[in-house]
Amino acid sequence: MNKEETIEKLKIIVKPYITKQDAFENLTENTDFITDLGINSANLVDVILDVEETFGIEIDNQSMERMLNIKSAMEIIDTKLSEK
C-alpha cells in the first residue's frame, strides 16, 4: 500500500470525528489529530480502533501513545503491516 492510499484510508477513518473541516480538507502528513482536526482524546481511541479494524493490525499501548498525527499513524501502520 502506498502513502497516498494510506492517507485516503486515514481520511475516511477520521472524518466522523473531526470538528475542523478546513484542516481536514488540507490534511497532510503533518496534520495533528487533536490540535489541527479537533478530535478529542476519547474519539482518538475510536480512531485507533478503526485503524486496527481497517488495516487488520493490532496497535500496542506504546504505539497508541505515539499516534498523534497522520505521519506517526502512517509509520505505525507500515510497521505493523510489515510484521504480518
Side-chain angles (χ1 to χ4, degrees):
M1 179 176 311
N2 68 32
K3 185 163 66 170
E4 288 76 25
E5 291 172 327
T6 303
I7 288 176
E8 284 308 308
K9 284 188 177 190
L10 284 170
K11 285 179 84 169
I12 292 167
I13 290 168
V14 301
K15 188 171 184 170
Y17 306 107
I18 64 162
T19 60
K20 299 179 180 175
Q21 187 66 35
D22 57 329
F24 177 74
E25 290 169 3
N26 299 307
L27 187 136
T28 68
E29 285 185 41
N30 297 319
T31 301
D32 184 276
F33 291 127
I34 296 170
T35 307
D36 297 329
L37 298 177
I39 298 173
N40 67 38
S41 55
N43 285 340
L44 190 53
V45 173
D46 293 328
V47 168
I48 292 168
L49 294 173
D50 292 348
V51 166
E52 287 181 323
E53 185 177 323
T54 299
F55 291 94
I57 58 177
E58 283 188 35
I59 300 173
D60 55 80
N61 288 342
Q62 185 178 9
S63 296
M64 281 185 202
E65 291 172 8
R66 287 185 23 239
M67 195 181 286
L68 299 174
N69 59 38
I70 297 295
K71 186 173 185 174
S72 62
M74 291 172 55
E75 290 169 356
I76 291 164
I77 290 165
D78 286 344
T79 300
K80 298 297 179 185
L81 288 174
S82 68
E83 292 173 355
K84 287 180 94 178

